Amino acid sequence: MLRRRLIILATAAACSAALAGAMTAGAMTTDGAPHDGPAGKDQRSAAAHHPAAAARHAATGVQFQTWLYPGGSGDSTCTAPAEYADNRVKNGALKPEYWSVNGKGKVTLESAADGSCNTYSAANVADLKAHSAFQYPTVSAMTTADVHALVSSSTNRGNAVSQLTSFVVDKQLSGVDVDMEDYWSWSAADLRNYKTFLKQLATALHAQGKKLVVDAPAMTEDADFYDYADVSATGIDELDIMAYDEEFDTASGDRCLPITPLDWLRQVTRYAQSKVPDPSRLVIALPSYGISAPDPCDLDAVTGNIQYSDMKRSPGFSTDPATVAARRDPSSGEIRWVSGGTLYDYVDSAALDAKLAVLTSLGVTKVSVWSLGGGNPWFTR
């Protein structure tokens, strides 16, 4: 996702009030995540904290979802199961990446038998079911070449539809999450064939009582490269808007924009709602990670998807309450500072709370988070 591999409001007054409240809520744990210490201690602290938070979430009427992505043994992403074990999405959805699309348009199952984490195994499937109401394994294609190879071939489309549908039926999972990106480089034919693929997959899944979730780029106005209404009309069940990585829209010579400015989040959400008015079919995704970038911004040198366990090792990182408060950006709620000519920016729990307040004020009922692993922050309320 544009969140992964580094290509990747109410009113202004209401927004400020929401951020102030979130900052107050976050004051007890100023970094917004488990405190410094060994990884195991971090995860035990998280598990002890979040059951109460999960109960509060249920009271808000918001369904929470979150993605998990593969890693090698020892990678920080491999702590994800220890994080969702606190049942933070017990009434929501877990979305592990189980499949990737290769340059020949073939869908490949990513398996724990290869030594990776957060990938398919019988034990992983059982664990997902034990800690969520819905499970939507992701099929991922991150480049235009991979997307083109799959969707432009009727044979590849048919094979993928059969493979994905058979798998979720056999494993008794809720459905499939499609994450095909590099949207801006697609041809008109690629977009047309992509929608054909989605329609075929939705039809096959629905025939088996399964659902289709589709990940989409954040937009604030109509554009040729993607259309929320057209994609929704293919029969998908949920459109998941990835409302993050606004830093890549920074003007030349400026400091990198925040990951998800609150005003921009409001614009993205309102635009999405104008195209997909049924709240049950619209998911807005929020970031839980950090970035670093040269200051001024160089879009070709942005490092994204930095997990909290790694962010803590950044030069100048601090959990001192006064320092955190001074670094909190009022436009996004994020923690931002510059050290040695490099900008650092991460989303802590207070920032997540502020972003969630924007969404709930607009009537959003489904919220996803990229991503779990590495002690990445979660909501406090």
Side-chain angles (χ1 to χ4, degrees):
M1 299 184 174
L2 31 96
R3 48 187 162 65
R4 188 180 71 229
R5 287 178 186 159
L6 291 192
I7 28 188
I8 322 215
L9 313 171
T11 62
C15 173
S16 298
L19 177 56
M23 289 169 63
T24 300
M28 291 184 291
T29 54
T30 56
D31 55 5
H35 291 294
D36 293 348
K41 180 180 178 182
D42 281 356
Q43 299 314 315
R44 288 193 297 273
S45 297
H49 171 71
H50 286 298
R56 289 195 292 273
H57 294 162
T60 69
V62 173
Q63 180 199 99
F64 290 95
Q65 307 179 2
T66 190
W67 286 280
L68 322 170
Y69 67 102
S73 178
D75 285 357
S76 53
T77 188
C78 295
T79 64
E83 294 168 20
Y84 68 65
D86 64 15
N87 288 326
R88 65 187 69 183
V89 292
K90 182 67 173 179
N91 298 317
L94 287 168
K95 299 179 286 190
E97 182 184 303
Y98 272 7
W99 300 283
S100 59
V101 178
N102 65 26
K104 295 183 178 180
K106 309 300 182 184
V107 173
T108 301
L109 182 66
E110 301 181 28
S111 172
D114 300 327
S116 57
C117 66
N118 300 330
T119 50
Y120 167 70
S121 70
N124 182 258
V125 167
D127 198 45
L128 297 175
K129 291 179 180 178
H131 295 100
S132 64
F134 309 98
Q135 307 82 37
Y136 300 108
T138 299
V139 54
S140 171
M142 290 295 104
T143 71
T144 294
D146 292 344
V147 173
H148 176 80
L150 171 58
V151 303
S152 65
S153 163
S154 60
T155 297
N156 286 346
R157 289 198 308 265
N159 288 341
V161 167
S162 177
Q163 180 181 350
L164 299 174
T165 303
S166 295
F167 183 93
V168 296
V169 169
D170 181 59
K171 308 305 177 187
Q172 299 181 4
L173 298 167
S174 306
V176 175
D177 172 55
V178 171
D179 180 28
M180 296 183 179
E181 299 194 21
D182 206 14
Y183 314 94
W184 307 273
S185 299
W186 293 0
S187 68
D190 288 334
L191 179 57
R192 188 166 57 250
N193 290 328
Y194 164 79
K195 289 186 287 188
T196 297
F197 170 69
L198 295 181
K199 185 174 182 178
Q200 292 173 333
L201 182 56
T203 299
L205 289 169
H206 293 164
Q208 298 295 330
K210 306 300 181 181
K211 294 185 177 182
L212 177 57
V213 179
V214 173
D215 304 339
M219 302 168 62
T220 58
E221 60 185 11
D222 293 349
D224 291 338
F225 64 83
Y226 206 88
D227 186 287
Y228 293 162
D230 281 356
V231 171
S232 293
T234 63
I236 70 174
D237 297 281
E238 294 180 3
L239 190 68
D240 199 326
I241 311 301
M242 297 181 289
Y244 34 70
D245 283 340
E246 174 64 353
E247 68 271 14
F248 288 105
D249 285 336
T250 303
S252 177
D254 288 353
R255 173 166 293 173
C256 278
L257 291 168
I259 300 167
T260 302
L262 300 177
D263 236 11
W264 177 76
L265 174 62
R266 184 176 299 103
Q267 294 173 38
V268 168
T269 302
R270 284 176 170 160
Y271 175 74
Q273 290 172 325
S274 75
K275 298 292 184 177
V276 187
D278 181 351
S280 72
R281 299 184 63 212
L282 182 65
V283 184
I284 305 297
L286 297 177
S288 179
Y289 56 83
I291 67 166
S292 67
D295 188 47
C297 198
D298 178 353
L299 299 183
D300 293 326
V302 174
T303 300
N305 196 36
I306 303 174
Q307 293 181 312
Y308 182 73
S309 58
D310 298 317
M311 204 73 197
K312 291 189 297 185
R313 294 192 284 271
S314 300
F317 179 88
S318 176
T319 59
D320 172 69
T323 301
V324 170
R327 292 175 172 177
R328 192 175 298 283
D329 169 47
S331 75
S332 64
E334 296 163 20
I335 311 303
R336 292 162 59 87
W337 76 98
V338 175
S339 178
T342 298
L343 169 72
Y344 299 91
D345 180 342
Y346 74 93
V347 178
D348 70 349
S349 289
L352 272 176
D353 287 348
K355 298 178 199 305
L356 177 62
V358 169
L359 299 184
T360 56
S361 76
L362 294 174
V364 173
T365 61
K366 294 183 178 181
V367 175
S368 194
V369 176
W370 180 265
S371 64
L372 290 189
N376 282 347
W378 195 254
F379 307 94
T380 64
R381 58 188 178 84

